[in-house]
Amino acid sequence: MTIPEDIRTKHAELCRQLHYHSHLYHGLNAPQISDSEYDQLLQQLLKIEQDYPALITPNSPSQRVGSSPLSGFRQIAHSRPMLSLENAFNEEDLREFDARIKRFLGSNDPIEYLCEMKLDGVAIELVYQDGQLQHASTRGDGLTGEEITANARTIGAIPLQLQPGAPRRLEVRGEVYMELAPFRQLNGQRRNEGEKTFANPRNATAGSLRQLDPRITASRPLTISCYGLGEIDAEQTPNSQLEMLQKLHDWGLRVNLERLALAADIDAVLEHYQQFLAERDQLPFEIDGMVVKVNSFALQQELGEKSRTPRWAIACKFPPRQEQTRLLDVQLQVGRTGAITPVAHLEPVNVSGVMVSRASLHNWDEIERLDIRIGDQLIVERAGDVIPDIVKVLTEKRDGSEKAIPEPTSCPACGSPVSRGEDEVVPRCQGLACPARLKESIKHFASRGAMDIEGLGDRIIDQLLRLNLVHSVADLYTLTKEDFFRFERMGEVLAEKLLAAIAASRHRPLEKLLFGLGIRHVGAHLAKVLSRRFGSLDNLRQASREALLETHEIGPQVVESLQAFFTDQHNLDVLQQLEAAGVKPEETAQPQGTIFSGKVFVFTGKLERFSRSQGQELVEQQGGRASGSVSKKTDYLVAGPGAGSKLSKAEELGITILDEEGFLQLFKTGNTEEQ
Ligand code: IVH
C-alpha cells in the first residue's frame, strides 16, 4: 500500500511532538501541554498507524500503549556484568568500607563519595544505539537477563529516543519502581475488581515488568531512575559518578538529581545517611537505604571489583521499621465467603512515624508458625505500604499468663457452626443468614467491578441490616423510599439517588452480575470467560460438567464451586428473586457461527486487510479462540509481513500458517478440515 506524502509528514511530525513532550514531562519535569492534549496527539498517531500499519516503527510513541503479547521472554547477555552491592548495616561497617578503600589505594587522603538513594524496585538495563532504544533487559543473574523491551517501551519515563549529543552506543542501568500514591491506587482498583492486591510496590513492579502482554505493563504506573553505566561509546566519557548522572539527565534519561549528596569524606557520608533516614518517610516512594559510591571514575577503575560487587560502592541499609509491642487480643473477621480470619489487636506503638494497633495474622497455620499467644510481647514490622506484619514473638519474655488462640468452632457473628476443609487455611461460617457474610456479600455485589451501585457503602449497608430490610442481595431491588427514610441522616435527595443507582444496576452485563454473586473462585476474569461461553445465567446453571470443563481456563475447582452454588436452594431462590425484581443482565454476545469452533488462532506480524482485533473478533464470532502465544494447542497462525519468533515457533510445531488472504478464505469457505 502506498502511503501519501502528507500522511508521512503528519506522522513524522506527530512522532516528533510526542517524543518532545514526553521528554519535557518525564525527563525535565516541565510539561508544556496537559495530559489530555498529549493523549489527543497520541490518538491521532494511533489512527494514522491503524490506517497505514507500514508506518509503525519499534520506537514509535504508539508503542507506549503496548504491542501484542509475547510467547515468552528471550534471554539476553549483558555486555558487562550487572553487579550487586555489598551491604553496610551500621557506622562501623561504613568506616571499614572507607578504610578498606584507603588501604587498597595506599593513601590516607579523604575520599569523595556520592550518596544516592537506594530505590526499592527492579534493576534493568537499557541499550541505546544511535540514540534509539534498542533493547531492555532485567538483571537476571547479573550476566544474563530477560529481554523486556516491549514492556520497557510502555514506561513513559524511559525515553524511546535520546536527546541530541547522546553517545553512539549507551548501555544504562537503573531501577524501575512504583511511587506510593499510584501503587495504592492500583491496589484499590484491584480490590474493587476482586483481584489479589500486591504486598508492596516492589512486588507490583516486578509483576508488572514480567508480563507477557505489554498492554498490561502499560496500564501499571511504573517509572525509572537511572544510576549507572554498562558499555558506552562516546566522544567524551564522564569523569565522575556525579558528572555521569548529569550527562544521563542531559541525554534525556530520568535521574533523581535533586536527591543526591556529594560528601567530601566518610564523616560527611555519615551525616547524609542520617538526613536520608529522616527524609525517608516524606518521600513519595520507598527507599531501603543509601548507596555510597566513590565519585571519581579514575579511582573507581583503580579499585575495580570483586567477583560480584564493586570495591568502590556499598549499600547502607536502613534499619527495618520494626518495634516491640504486645498482643492485646485477637478479633475474628468474617468475610463474604464465610472465611474467618484472625486480626491482631496490639498495644499501639509508633513504628517510624505511623501508629500501629492492628496487624494481620492471616490464618491458624500462621498462628501456629509464630506460636503466638494473647499477652505475648512481639516484633511488628511496617514494610512497604502494607498492613503491618508480626515478624516474631519474644517467647523468652513470657510470664505464664499468656493465652492460646483457639480456632473457633462457631461463627463470631452468627453462632453457626464452622468447618475447615482439608486444604483450607481458615475455617468458614456456613450460616446462610450470617449478618457478617451478608454485609460483605452486599458490599461486593455493589462494588465497582460488579454491579456498580454508587453510594451503597458501609454506612448504608449497616443500616439496611440493622433495620432488617435486606436478607439477600435480591432484597435491594424491592427497597422503597419509605424504607430509606427510616435511616439516620437520610434526605429525599440521597434516598432518590440510591434508588436510582440500584435501579440502574438491573441491566449490567452478565459478567458483572456473575462476578457480583461472589461464587468462590469466580473472579472478574473468569466471570467474563463464563459469560462469553454460556451467554446467560440459565445456560450456565444448566451447563454439564463436561461443557464447563471444555471451557478454556475453567478447571475442576471452578466447576465444583459452580455446581455447589447452583445446587444450593437458597442461591436458586435468590436468583429467582433477582429475576422477579427485574434484574435482567444484558446477554453476552454468543458466537454467531461455528466455523472455528474449538480452533485456536494466533495473529502475528503486520496485517493490512484487517486489524488484529478485527481478526480476533471474527474468530470469536465463529466459536474459535484467539490467543496471544503459539503453543501445541494452536491450530492456525495468521502471519503478516515482519512476523518473527511466533512464526518460527509455529513452523517448528508444524502448525498451519495462513496469510491474511488464506484466513479470509477460510472464513468464507468455513473448511477447517482440509487445511
Ligand atoms: S548501583 C555496581 N545505585 O540495589 C553498582 N544500585 O543491592 C550496582 N539500587 O541491583 C548498583 N538504587 O537494583 C545502585 N542508586 C543506586 C541504586 C541501586 C537501587 C539497587 C539495584 C541493585 C541493588 C544492589
Short mmCIF file of all heavy atoms in Angstrom, two decimals, residues 128 130-132 161-170 232-235 247-248 250-253:
data_model
loop_
_atom_site.label_atom_id
_atom_site.label_comp_id
_atom_site.label_asym_id
_atom_site.label_seq_id
_atom_site.Cartn_x
_atom_site.Cartn_y
_atom_site.Cartn_z
N TYR A 128 20.88 1.76 24.13
CA TYR A 128 20.55 2.71 23.06
C TYR A 128 21.63 2.65 21.99
O TYR A 128 22.82 2.67 22.30
CB TYR A 128 20.46 4.14 23.60
CG TYR A 128 19.26 4.37 24.48
CD1 TYR A 128 19.33 4.12 25.86
CD2 TYR A 128 18.06 4.80 23.95
CE1 TYR A 128 18.23 4.31 26.67
CE2 TYR A 128 16.94 5.00 24.76
CZ TYR A 128 17.04 4.75 26.11
OH TYR A 128 15.94 4.94 26.91
N ASP A 130 22.68 4.64 18.47
CA ASP A 130 22.40 5.85 17.69
C ASP A 130 21.16 6.58 18.22
O ASP A 130 20.31 7.02 17.46
CB ASP A 130 22.22 5.50 16.21
CG ASP A 130 23.48 4.86 15.65
OD1 ASP A 130 24.57 5.39 15.91
OD2 ASP A 130 23.38 3.79 15.02
N GLY A 131 21.08 6.64 19.52
CA GLY A 131 20.01 7.41 20.15
C GLY A 131 18.68 6.70 20.25
O GLY A 131 17.74 7.22 20.84
N GLN A 132 18.56 5.50 19.66
CA GLN A 132 17.29 4.78 19.67
C GLN A 132 17.33 3.64 20.69
O GLN A 132 18.33 2.92 20.76
CB GLN A 132 17.03 4.15 18.29
CG GLN A 132 16.88 5.13 17.16
CD GLN A 132 15.58 5.90 17.24
OE1 GLN A 132 14.54 5.34 17.61
NE2 GLN A 132 15.63 7.18 16.94
N GLN A 161 13.80 7.58 22.38
CA GLN A 161 15.00 8.08 21.72
C GLN A 161 15.65 9.14 22.59
O GLN A 161 14.99 9.85 23.32
CB GLN A 161 14.67 8.60 20.32
CG GLN A 161 13.62 9.67 20.28
CD GLN A 161 13.28 10.03 18.83
OE1 GLN A 161 13.21 9.17 17.98
NE2 GLN A 161 13.13 11.31 18.58
N LEU A 162 16.98 9.21 22.51
CA LEU A 162 17.72 10.12 23.39
C LEU A 162 17.82 11.51 22.76
O LEU A 162 17.52 11.70 21.59
CB LEU A 162 19.12 9.55 23.66
CG LEU A 162 19.13 8.21 24.40
CD1 LEU A 162 20.57 7.70 24.57
CD2 LEU A 162 18.45 8.33 25.77
N GLN A 163 18.27 12.44 23.56
CA GLN A 163 18.43 13.83 23.09
C GLN A 163 19.70 13.93 22.23
O GLN A 163 20.62 13.12 22.36
CB GLN A 163 18.58 14.76 24.31
CG GLN A 163 17.31 14.86 25.13
CD GLN A 163 16.14 15.37 24.32
OE1 GLN A 163 16.18 16.46 23.78
NE2 GLN A 163 15.10 14.54 24.20
N PRO A 164 19.76 14.96 21.37
CA PRO A 164 20.98 15.16 20.56
C PRO A 164 22.21 15.24 21.48
O PRO A 164 22.11 15.76 22.59
CB PRO A 164 20.72 16.49 19.86
CG PRO A 164 19.26 16.70 19.93
CD PRO A 164 18.74 15.96 21.10
N GLY A 165 23.32 14.72 21.00
CA GLY A 165 24.55 14.77 21.80
C GLY A 165 24.78 13.50 22.59
O GLY A 165 25.82 13.32 23.21
N ALA A 166 23.78 12.58 22.56
CA ALA A 166 23.94 11.32 23.31
C ALA A 166 24.98 10.45 22.62
O ALA A 166 25.21 10.59 21.41
CB ALA A 166 22.60 10.61 23.37
N PRO A 167 25.62 9.54 23.36
CA PRO A 167 26.64 8.67 22.75
C PRO A 167 26.05 7.78 21.66
O PRO A 167 24.85 7.53 21.64
CB PRO A 167 27.09 7.79 23.92
CG PRO A 167 26.56 8.41 25.14
CD PRO A 167 25.42 9.28 24.78
N ARG A 168 26.96 7.29 20.76
CA ARG A 168 26.50 6.40 19.70
C ARG A 168 25.91 5.13 20.29
O ARG A 168 24.91 4.62 19.85
CB ARG A 168 27.70 6.02 18.80
CG ARG A 168 28.11 7.11 17.84
CD ARG A 168 29.29 6.63 17.03
NE ARG A 168 30.47 6.43 17.90
CZ ARG A 168 31.34 7.40 18.20
NH1 ARG A 168 31.18 8.62 17.72
NH2 ARG A 168 32.36 7.15 18.99
N ARG A 169 26.61 4.63 21.30
CA ARG A 169 26.05 3.47 22.00
C ARG A 169 26.06 3.76 23.49
O ARG A 169 27.07 4.26 24.02
CB ARG A 169 26.88 2.22 21.71
CG ARG A 169 26.27 0.99 22.33
CD ARG A 169 27.03 -0.27 21.96
NE ARG A 169 26.45 -1.41 22.64
CZ ARG A 169 25.38 -2.08 22.24
NH1 ARG A 169 24.76 -1.73 21.15
NH2 ARG A 169 24.93 -3.10 22.94
N LEU A 170 24.95 3.47 24.11
CA LEU A 170 24.87 3.73 25.55
C LEU A 170 24.11 2.59 26.22
O LEU A 170 22.98 2.28 25.86
CB LEU A 170 24.12 5.04 25.80
CG LEU A 170 23.89 5.39 27.27
CD1 LEU A 170 25.19 5.70 27.98
CD2 LEU A 170 22.93 6.57 27.40
N ILE A 232 29.77 2.10 26.96
CA ILE A 232 29.43 3.39 26.38
C ILE A 232 30.44 3.72 25.29
O ILE A 232 31.64 3.47 25.44
CB ILE A 232 29.37 4.49 27.48
CG1 ILE A 232 29.26 5.89 26.86
CG2 ILE A 232 30.52 4.42 28.45
CD1 ILE A 232 28.95 6.98 27.87
N ASP A 233 29.92 4.23 24.18
CA ASP A 233 30.80 4.60 23.07
C ASP A 233 30.50 6.06 22.76
O ASP A 233 29.56 6.38 22.05
CB ASP A 233 30.48 3.69 21.88
CG ASP A 233 31.22 4.12 20.63
OD1 ASP A 233 32.16 4.93 20.75
OD2 ASP A 233 30.85 3.65 19.54
N ALA A 234 31.30 6.95 23.38
CA ALA A 234 31.04 8.38 23.24
C ALA A 234 32.35 9.10 22.98
O ALA A 234 33.43 8.56 23.26
CB ALA A 234 30.40 8.91 24.52
N GLU A 235 32.24 10.30 22.41
CA GLU A 235 33.45 11.10 22.15
C GLU A 235 34.15 11.38 23.47
O GLU A 235 35.34 11.22 23.62
CB GLU A 235 33.06 12.42 21.51
CG GLU A 235 32.06 12.25 20.38
CD GLU A 235 32.65 12.52 19.04
OE1 GLU A 235 33.22 13.60 18.89
OE2 GLU A 235 32.55 11.64 18.15
N LYS A 247 25.07 13.96 32.91
CA LYS A 247 25.05 13.69 31.47
C LYS A 247 23.83 12.84 31.08
O LYS A 247 23.15 13.13 30.10
CB LYS A 247 26.32 12.93 31.05
CG LYS A 247 27.55 13.81 30.99
CD LYS A 247 28.01 13.93 29.52
CE LYS A 247 28.92 15.10 29.30
NZ LYS A 247 30.31 14.88 29.74
N LEU A 248 23.59 11.80 31.90
CA LEU A 248 22.43 10.94 31.60
C LEU A 248 21.17 11.79 31.53
O LEU A 248 20.33 11.63 30.65
CB LEU A 248 22.25 9.86 32.69
CG LEU A 248 23.30 8.74 32.73
CD1 LEU A 248 22.97 7.76 33.86
CD2 LEU A 248 23.37 7.98 31.42
N ASP A 250 21.04 15.02 30.82
CA ASP A 250 21.08 15.83 29.60
C ASP A 250 20.69 15.01 28.37
O ASP A 250 20.11 15.53 27.42
CB ASP A 250 22.49 16.40 29.37
CG ASP A 250 22.88 17.37 30.46
OD1 ASP A 250 21.96 17.81 31.20
OD2 ASP A 250 24.08 17.66 30.60
N TRP A 251 21.04 13.74 28.39
CA TRP A 251 20.72 12.90 27.22
C TRP A 251 19.26 12.47 27.19
O TRP A 251 18.82 11.78 26.29
CB TRP A 251 21.63 11.66 27.20
CG TRP A 251 23.09 12.01 27.01
CD1 TRP A 251 23.57 13.10 26.37
CD2 TRP A 251 24.22 11.27 27.49
NE1 TRP A 251 24.96 13.09 26.41
CE2 TRP A 251 25.38 11.98 27.10
CE3 TRP A 251 24.38 10.08 28.21
CZ2 TRP A 251 26.67 11.54 27.40
CZ3 TRP A 251 25.66 9.65 28.51
CH2 TRP A 251 26.80 10.38 28.10
N GLY A 252 18.52 12.85 28.25
CA GLY A 252 17.07 12.59 28.25
C GLY A 252 16.62 11.51 29.21
O GLY A 252 15.44 11.19 29.25
N LEU A 253 17.57 10.95 29.95
CA LEU A 253 17.18 9.86 30.86
C LEU A 253 16.74 10.42 32.21
O LEU A 253 17.13 11.52 32.59
CB LEU A 253 18.36 8.91 31.04
CG LEU A 253 18.59 8.12 29.77
CD1 LEU A 253 20.04 7.75 29.60
CD2 LEU A 253 17.70 6.88 29.75
#
